[in-house]
């Protein structure tokens, strides 16, 4: 028992000793673990990088102080966040993708530069390294993230990149080429402008070796002297020589392109590279060089021009001293140009030509404005007329730098102008003063009459039937008669009277009354008697008369234009009264003129507001009763004035052309409208006034009007009076031939009532003769009218012309005319003039009645 107890005690002692030993070892291990934990915690907290343990779903388990400070959160705040919340949205997808690869075992760790969102909203760049901690079974437990603060480095790099980008943008935007070489001649940089100048596609194509440069380019001076490569700007710069605005002509050998370069260079020390940098700037100054060359040539040409122009040119500086004298000025001053340079404007003698412009030069310098004047300068060859102009040559601030004097001698021109003026004021055919001189004389004569309270008669003289003289005997004969008429008028007036030729066969005389109120009428009678005496041209004796209208200053008016118009109106009345008479302008005549002016204004207003209209009267074939054509008749509805009156006013006032154009246009539109309504292409005949027919472009106008309205030539006919045709027979024949060749038919209207010649009639290219209605109306009770009509029909048959009878009002007249061979008829018996839309109905009814 004791042995067991002893044994147990010994075992207990051993156990106690072992326990004490174990306790000591445990204490030592705990102390070691505490040290390890302390070291770990110290390392974790004092690390110069951010350290964090992050759960698999992204929550922050443990974070060190560096990371808290870096992101601006407290430890407690940060542990409520996830790394996803604090990652910049643009960087999150990449981070999550790498996390997935880590969890899938595709990588052991990853590194990523990304942006974190700080508490204050700012961004901070961090270099993140992530590792995954697994348990003994290999299952993921948490992430260990180490974050290096690289914000300063990233931002510094971005700033450098931005500075480089700015510098590149500046270089790229320069119009000048910039090339940077190392101190050993190696190309480092070339901006786009340099690439374009030297025709390089990329910097890799540039070889700065001297042999490569001479293979690609050649250089020469502006004078054309070749420049060796060792004297090129880059070579000089690399040797340390200054290069400032070196101008060279550069040619690329392969393309042959030549341009003028201005090159400057400098050596720049840079701490980033060994040795200085050689920076060249190159400008393409080809345009400027060409402009300067052109300017030099222009200046040379200008100097040569100044030296060889007949005008005197002298240039003074601001101190009034001569800087330039051309040869003409030096010749006038009788000195060599070099001897005149520096001479003051006041140094010449009073008889010198310089004295002419002395005051003008001083005034130009003071006012900075151009000065000019005309002067008369006495010379040993007589008085000369000079035009002196002083032109200020100013600086940028408008101060006068120089004054250029131009002195032009226009003596010969003035003499020639005086001769021309006299010729321009007199009629070249008769030598009489013309219309231009009339107004000048009238002003003086009227002023004298006003001072003496006298009257002046204005005589408007127009020769009667002068045109047949030109037509029958030729224009030379007509000119000879006009010269004789002028001579007689001039010799038949008194000393204080004066006679003018206005043009054509129109003359005008100004007759002061002195103390005789009837002086104008008496002088007019003398002039008429002188004109009426026979004229002999070789073996031919001609007779002539004149019609004279008289207006009186100041009784009728005080303006010469108005008085001429009144006298013209009175002369027109004299012609209406049978010609070869004298007519005074009276109040009743004024009323007639006034009424004419009212009608004239009415025509203008009617044209403006489209108040005119056309009626249409058909022409019927005597054999078939079918409509051959229609005549367009002008009407002025609602006015009460017949066409025989307002057309005459339109002709007298020149409005007939506008009125005629309106008629042509409206007739063409009606022709097209009828075709659109199913009628055949019925020709429309339009009356043409003598004034329209006289126009040289009448045929062209008519043709273009038809083309504008898409009307065929056969769709339009024209009717002319004998007066229009016989005024200028040669023009009439030529124009009518042209119209007929274009397919336009011609009718001679009112035949038998005007002045005509059967000889000329046989030459006229006509299609129809229209017998005037005055003969047709008297047909049944006037043997003379029947004889005339039968003669006209026989004449038409002989000339192979169609005969149209106007104004038919009865069936008996139709039968008579048909029996005597008249081809066509027109008149109320068939149809009155009707409007265009009414004609459509009438035509269809008439056509139906023929079947």
């Amino acid at each position: 028992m004791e042995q067991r107890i002893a044994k147990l005690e010994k075992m207990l002692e051993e156990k106690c000793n072992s326990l004490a030993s174990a306790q000591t070892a445990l204490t030592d291990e705990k102390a070691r673990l505490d040290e390890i934990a302390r070291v770990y915690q110290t390392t974790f907290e004092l690390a110069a990088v951010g350290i964090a343990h992050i759960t698999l779903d992204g929550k922050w388990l443990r974070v060190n102080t560096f990371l808290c400070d870096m992101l601006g959160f407290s430890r407690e705040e940060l542990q409520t966040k996830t790394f996803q919340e604090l990652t910049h949205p643009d960087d999150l997808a990449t981070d999550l993708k790498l996390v997935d690869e880590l969890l899938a075992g595709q990588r052991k760790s990853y590194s990523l530069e990304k942006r974190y969102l700080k508490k204050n909203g700012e961004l901070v760049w961090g270099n993140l390294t992530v590792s995954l901690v697994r348990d003994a079974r290999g299952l993921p437990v948490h992430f260990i993230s180490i974050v290096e603060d690289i914000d300063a480095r990233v931002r510094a790099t971005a700033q450098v990149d931005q500075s480089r980008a700015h510098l590149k943008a500046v270089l790229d935007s320069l119009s000048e080429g910039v090339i940077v070489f190392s101190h050993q001649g190696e190309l480092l940089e070339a901006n786009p402008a340099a690439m374009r100048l030297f025709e390089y596609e990329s910097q890799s194509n540039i070889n700065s070796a001297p042999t490569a440069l001479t293979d690609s380019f050649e250089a020469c001076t502006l004078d054309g002297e070749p420049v060796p490569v060792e004297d090129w700007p880059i070579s000089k710069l690399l040797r340390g020589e200054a290069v400032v605005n070196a101008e060279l002509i550069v040619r690329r050998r392969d393309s042959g392109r030549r341009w003028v370069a201005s090159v400057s260079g400098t050596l720049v020390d840079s701490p980033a590279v060994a040795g200085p940098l050689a920076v060249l700037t190159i400008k393409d100054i080809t345009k400027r060089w060409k402009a300067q060359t052109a300017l030099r040539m222009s200046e040379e040409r200008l100097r040569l021009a100044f030296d060889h122009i007949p005008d005197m040119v002298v240039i003074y500086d601001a101190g009034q001293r001569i800087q330039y004298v051309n040869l003409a000025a030096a010749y006038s001053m009788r000195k060599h140009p070099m001897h005149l340079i520096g001479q003051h404007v006041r140094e010449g003698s009073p008889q010198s030509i310089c004295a002419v412009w002395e005051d003008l030069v001083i005034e130009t310098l003071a006012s900075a404005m151009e000065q000019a004047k005309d002067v008369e300068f006495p010379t040993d060859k007589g008085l000369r007329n000079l035009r002196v102009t002083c032109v200020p040559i100013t600086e940028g601030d408008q101060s006068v730098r120089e004054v250029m004097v131009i002195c032009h001698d226009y003596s010969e021109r003035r003499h020639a102008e005086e001769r021309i003026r006299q010729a321009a004021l007199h009629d070249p055919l008769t030598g009489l003063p013309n219309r231009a001189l009339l107004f000048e004389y009238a002003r003086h004569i009227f002023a004298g009459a006003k001072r003496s309270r006298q009257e002046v008669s204005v005589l408007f003289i127009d020769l009667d039937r002068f045109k047949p003289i030109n037509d029958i005997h030729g224009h030379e004969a007509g000119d000879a008669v006009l010269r004789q008429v002028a001579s007689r008028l001039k010799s038949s007036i008194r000393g204080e009277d004066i006679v003018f030729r206005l043009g054509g066969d129109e003359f005008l005389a100004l007759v002061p009354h002195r103390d005789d109120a009837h002086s104008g009428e008496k002088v007019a009678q003398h002039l008429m008697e002188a004109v009426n005496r026979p004229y002999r041209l070789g073996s031919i004796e001609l007779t002539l008369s004149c019609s004279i209208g008289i207006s009186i200053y100041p009784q009728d008016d005080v303006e010469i234009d108005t008085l001429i118009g009144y006298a013209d109106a009175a002369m027109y009345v004299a012609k209406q009264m049978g010609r070869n008479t004298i007519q005074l302008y009276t109040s009743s005549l004024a009323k007639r003129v006034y009424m004419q002016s009212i009608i004239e204004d009415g025509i203008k207003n009617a044209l403006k507001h489209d108040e005119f209209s056309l009626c249409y009267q058909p022409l019927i074939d005597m054999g078939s009763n079918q409509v051959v054509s229609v005549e367009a008749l002008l009407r002025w509805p609602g006015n009460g004035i017949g066409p025989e009156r307002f057309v005459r006013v339109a002709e007298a006032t020149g409005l007939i052309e506008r009125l005629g154009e309106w008629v042509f246009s409206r007739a063409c539109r009606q022709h097209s409208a009828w075709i659109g309504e199913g009628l055949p292409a019925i020709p429309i005949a339009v009356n043409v006034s003598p004034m329209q027919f006289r126009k040289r472009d009448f045929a062209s106008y008519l043709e273009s009007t038809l083309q504008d309205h898409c009307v065929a030539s056969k769709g339009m006919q024209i009717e002319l009076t004998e007066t229009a045709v016989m005024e200028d027979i040669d023009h009439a024949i030529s124009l009518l031939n042209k119209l007929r060749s274009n397919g336009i038919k011609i009718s001679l209207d009112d035949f038998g009532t005007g002045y005509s010649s059967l000889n000329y009639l046989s030459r006229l290219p006509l299609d129809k003769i229209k017998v005037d209605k005055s003969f047709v109306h008297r047909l049944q009770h006037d043997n003379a009218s029947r004889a005339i009509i039968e003669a006209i029909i026989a004449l038409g048959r002989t000339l192979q012309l169609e005969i149209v009878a106007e104004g038919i009002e009865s069936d008996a007249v139709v039968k008579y005319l048909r029996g005597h061979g008249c081809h066509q008829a027109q008149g109320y018996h068939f149809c009155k003039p009707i409007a265009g839309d009414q004609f459509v109905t009438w035509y269809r009814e008439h056509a139906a009645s023929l079947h």
Side-chain angles (χ1 to χ4, degrees):
M1 180 63 77
E2 289 180 354
Q3 290 179 345
R4 283 184 178 179
I5 291 171
K7 187 178 182 179
L8 286 172
E9 286 179 350
K10 185 179 181 179
M11 288 177 63
L12 179 62
E13 184 179 359
E14 290 175 356
K15 292 290 183 183
C16 287
N17 291 334
S18 177
L19 181 62
S21 179
Q23 183 67 38
T24 301
L26 180 63
T27 301
D28 292 340
E29 184 63 26
K30 182 179 180 184
R32 189 179 66 82
L33 290 175
D34 288 343
E35 179 63 21
I36 292 172
R38 187 185 64 77
V39 171
Y40 165 77
Q41 186 65 32
T42 302
T43 302
F44 187 80
E45 287 298 330
L46 298 180
V49 294
I51 303 174
H53 293 171
I54 300 176
T55 64
L56 297 180
D57 57 356
K59 293 182 178 179
W60 306 80
L61 287 174
R62 287 175 289 277
V63 294
N64 68 349
T65 303
F66 185 92
L67 190 59
C68 291
D69 294 341
M70 177 179 169
L71 299 180
F73 291 97
S74 67
R75 198 182 308 273
E76 291 75 15
E77 289 173 334
L78 200 56
Q79 287 175 341
T80 63
K81 305 288 184 180
T82 65
F83 81 87
Q84 292 93 331
E85 294 178 73
L86 301 184
T87 299
H88 190 280
D90 292 345
D91 299 336
L92 183 59
T94 302
D95 201 356
L96 293 176
K97 180 177 180 297
L98 293 170
V99 167
D100 291 341
E101 293 177 359
L102 200 61
L103 291 170
Q106 296 175 358
R107 60 174 64 239
K108 293 181 179 181
S109 64
Y110 71 84
S111 294
L112 171 69
E113 288 187 359
K114 72 172 191 177
R115 289 162 288 182
Y116 288 93
L117 299 172
K118 297 175 66 173
K119 182 179 180 179
N120 61 6
E122 295 179 355
L123 295 177
V124 60
W125 280 91
N127 185 23
L128 171 66
T129 302
V130 180
S131 300
L132 177 62
V133 177
R134 297 179 182 270
D135 60 14
R137 293 172 297 174
L139 297 176
V141 178
H142 63 267
F143 299 103
I144 298 176
S145 297
I146 298 175
V147 183
E148 181 186 357
D149 186 351
I150 61 170
D151 191 69
R153 175 174 62 80
V154 170
R155 294 186 185 277
T157 302
Q159 188 173 5
V160 170
D161 291 342
Q162 187 177 22
S163 298
R164 287 177 178 173
H166 289 168
L167 179 60
K168 187 175 186 306
V170 171
L171 288 175
D172 289 352
S173 66
L174 292 176
S175 59
E176 300 176 1
V178 178
I179 304 178
V180 182
F181 296 92
S182 70
H183 69 286
Q184 296 175 338
E186 178 186 357
L187 175 75
L188 299 178
E189 187 68 51
N191 72 340
M195 302 290 286
R196 289 192 298 270
L197 283 175
F198 290 99
E199 297 182 333
Y200 285 121
E201 294 182 0
S202 66
Q203 290 190 21
S204 61
N205 299 134
I206 304 177
N207 189 339
S208 57
T211 55
L213 290 177
T214 53
D215 288 342
S216 299
F217 299 97
E218 66 177 19
C220 62
T221 65
L222 299 183
D223 296 328
E225 294 294 326
V227 178
V229 69
E230 56 269 19
D231 290 333
W232 288 12
I234 181 58
S235 302
K236 288 184 175 182
L237 191 61
L238 292 174
R239 291 198 301 266
E241 299 179 22
V243 178
V244 179
N245 295 330
E247 295 183 353
L248 299 170
I249 297 176
V250 180
R251 186 179 79 88
R252 182 157 181 140
R253 295 183 186 276
D254 54 359
S255 67
R257 175 176 169 262
R258 294 166 59 91
W259 53 286
V260 182
S262 175
V263 185
S264 296
T266 184
L267 293 175
V268 179
D269 291 323
S270 173
V273 295
L277 299 177
V279 181
L280 283 179
T281 58
I282 306 101
K283 297 179 185 177
D284 183 349
I285 62 167
T286 307
K287 291 183 179 179
R288 190 189 75 190
W289 179 73
K290 288 182 177 179
Q292 289 173 342
T293 303
L295 180 62
R296 286 195 300 271
M297 295 178 64
S298 176
E299 289 175 347
E300 180 63 20
R301 286 194 296 268
L302 188 61
R303 188 187 64 78
L304 290 173
F306 277 0
D307 279 347
H308 291 86
I309 61 174
D311 289 348
M312 291 174 275
V313 179
V314 183
I315 297 179
Y316 291 87
D317 62 14
Q320 304 174 24
R321 295 190 176 277
I322 295 176
Q323 300 299 305
Y324 169 79
V325 180
N326 74 341
L327 297 180
Y331 177 79
S332 297
M333 299 177 191
R334 292 179 170 80
K335 290 184 179 180
H336 191 278
M338 295 304 298
H339 297 159
L340 292 168
I341 302 300
Q343 177 179 303
H344 196 276
V345 71
R346 295 187 184 277
E347 290 180 5
S349 66
Q351 292 76 31
S352 170
I353 190 71
C354 293
V356 170
W357 56 70
E358 176 183 323
D359 294 339
L360 278 185
V361 170
I362 297 172
E363 189 174 350
T364 303
L365 285 168
S367 66
M369 297 178 64
E370 180 179 308
Q371 307 291 331
K373 70 176 180 180
D374 291 299
V375 297
E376 292 182 342
F377 183 67
T379 68
D380 52 3
K381 295 181 180 180
L383 202 63
R384 307 299 292 176
N385 299 102
L386 305 177
R387 174 69 174 179
V388 180
T389 304
C390 289
V391 181
I393 302 172
T394 59
E395 300 283 7
D397 59 355
Q398 298 304 307
S399 61
V400 180
R401 173 169 55 87
E402 293 176 326
V403 174
M404 180 168 62
V405 178
I406 304 172
C407 182
H408 174 62
D409 186 337
Y410 63 96
S411 306
E412 299 302 327
R413 189 194 73 197
R414 180 164 184 176
H415 297 157
E417 286 175 350
E418 183 60 28
R419 291 192 296 269
I420 293 171
R421 178 178 176 276
Q422 290 301 317
L425 296 176
H426 290 77
D427 173 48
L429 177 65
T430 63
L432 292 177
N434 60 14
R435 182 184 290 271
L437 196 56
L438 163 62
F439 291 90
E440 184 177 332
Y441 270 87
R443 187 165 56 251
H444 294 299
I445 291 176
F446 287 173
K450 182 178 181 180
R451 287 192 299 270
S452 59
R453 297 184 180 182
Q454 297 289 334
E455 294 180 330
V456 179
S457 285
V458 178
L459 279 57
F460 198 105
I461 307 156
D462 188 271
L463 302 182
D464 298 328
R465 299 192 183 281
F466 174 74
K467 192 176 185 308
I469 295 178
N470 277 331
D471 293 341
I472 297 171
H473 302 287
H475 289 283
E476 291 186 4
D479 289 346
V481 170
L482 288 174
R483 283 192 289 269
Q484 290 189 40
V485 169
S487 177
R488 294 182 187 185
L489 293 176
K490 190 174 181 179
S491 61
S492 300
I493 58 176
R494 304 166 304 172
E496 63 270 25
D497 304 334
I498 184 168
V499 64
F500 307 84
R501 185 189 179 203
L502 300 182
D505 58 352
E506 295 177 342
F507 299 84
L508 187 135
L510 296 179
V511 180
H513 283 191
R514 291 188 295 190
D515 295 322
D516 186 352
H518 301 287
S519 293
E521 297 171 67
K522 292 178 181 179
V523 171
Q525 188 62 44
H526 285 303
L527 296 178
M528 182 174 288
E529 291 172 358
V531 170
N532 288 354
R533 293 198 302 269
Y535 297 83
R536 180 162 295 281
L537 301 175
S539 59
I540 303 173
E541 184 174 282
L542 303 174
T543 57
L544 200 61
S545 64
C546 66
S547 299
I548 301 178
I550 303 175
S551 61
I552 300 175
Y553 167 92
Q555 173 182 305
D556 298 323
D557 205 274
V558 296
E559 296 294 333
I560 184 61
D561 281 331
T562 306
L563 290 168
I564 292 173
Y566 287 167
D568 187 11
M571 180 277 298
Y572 182 75
V573 173
K575 283 188 178 291
Q576 289 182 326
M577 294 172 62
R579 297 182 174 85
N580 197 28
T581 58
I582 300 170
Q583 176 67 47
L584 283 169
Y585 178 81
T586 62
S587 58
S588 61
L589 186 61
K591 184 178 181 181
R592 185 186 303 179
V593 173
Y594 174 70
M595 289 304 298
Q596 176 174 306
S597 68
I598 292 178
I599 296 174
E600 178 184 357
D601 291 340
I603 294 172
K604 292 177 181 177
N605 192 60
L607 283 169
K608 182 178 180 180
H609 296 95
D610 199 23
E611 295 177 2
F612 290 107
S613 65
L614 289 181
C615 290
Y616 302 90
Q617 189 173 30
L619 276 69
I620 307 299
D621 183 89
M622 285 285 200
S624 64
N625 272 343
Q626 292 184 342
V627 175
V628 176
S629 62
V630 296
E631 180 181 2
L633 299 170
L634 182 61
R635 296 292 184 264
W636 192 354
N639 186 276
I641 302 176
E644 67 284 347
R645 186 175 181 188
F646 72 74
V647 169
R648 186 168 61 248
V649 172
E651 289 177 336
T653 58
L655 291 172
I656 194 64
E657 290 187 28
R658 289 176 56 193
L659 200 56
E661 290 173 0
W662 182 91
V663 171
F664 271 124
S665 179
R666 185 56 59 91
C668 287
R669 286 164 54 186
Q670 185 64 71
H671 184 273
S672 300
W674 284 343
I675 293 176
E677 294 190 46
L679 269 63
I682 303 171
I684 299 179
V686 175
N687 292 281
V688 177
S689 75
M691 187 176 295
Q692 288 177 279
F693 189 71
R694 280 198 299 267
K695 291 187 67 177
R696 297 294 170 179
D697 62 346
F698 175 73
S700 301
Y701 158 74
L702 185 55
E703 182 179 351
S704 64
T705 302
L706 294 174
Q707 290 177 352
D708 291 343
H709 291 85
C710 300
V711 174
S713 297
K714 63 181 180 181
M716 188 66 61
Q717 300 178 359
I718 65 170
E719 295 190 4
L720 300 163
T721 62
E722 296 175 69
T723 303
V725 175
M726 300 306 294
E727 280 189 354
D728 188 341
I729 192 67
D730 293 331
H731 167 67
I733 292 172
S734 173
L735 181 55
L736 294 178
N737 274 323
K738 185 174 183 180
L739 293 173
R740 289 191 73 202
S741 67
N742 290 334
I744 299 174
K745 281 193 172 185
I746 315 296
S747 299
L748 191 62
D749 198 13
D750 300 337
F751 186 76
T753 62
Y755 174 83
S756 63
S757 165
L758 295 182
N759 176 45
Y760 287 148
L761 185 63
S762 65
R763 295 170 53 198
L764 290 171
L766 301 172
D767 296 289
K768 297 182 181 182
I769 293 179
K770 298 186 74 173
V771 181
D772 187 69
K773 59 186 176 182
S774 61
F775 299 119
V776 176
H777 288 166
R778 298 194 300 268
L779 179 65
Q780 293 178 301
H781 52 78
D782 185 6
N783 292 334
S785 295
R786 287 197 295 272
I788 291 173
I789 290 175
E790 292 172 10
I792 293 174
I793 292 173
L795 176 64
R797 187 182 299 113
T798 301
L799 297 177
Q800 297 182 342
L801 300 174
E802 298 175 14
I803 306 300
V804 183
E806 298 179 303
I808 297 176
E809 298 181 357
S810 66
D811 189 56
V813 173
V814 174
K815 291 178 181 179
Y816 176 86
L817 292 171
R818 184 185 292 124
H820 283 80
C822 185
H823 303 105
Q824 297 170 18
Q826 181 182 18
Y828 282 20
H829 178 70
F830 300 99
C831 179
K832 294 181 179 180
I834 54 178
D837 54 349
Q838 294 175 327
F839 177 78
V840 175
T841 303
W842 179 90
Y843 178 85
R844 288 172 176 161
E845 293 175 353
H846 178 76
S849 69
L850 298 179
H851 299 291

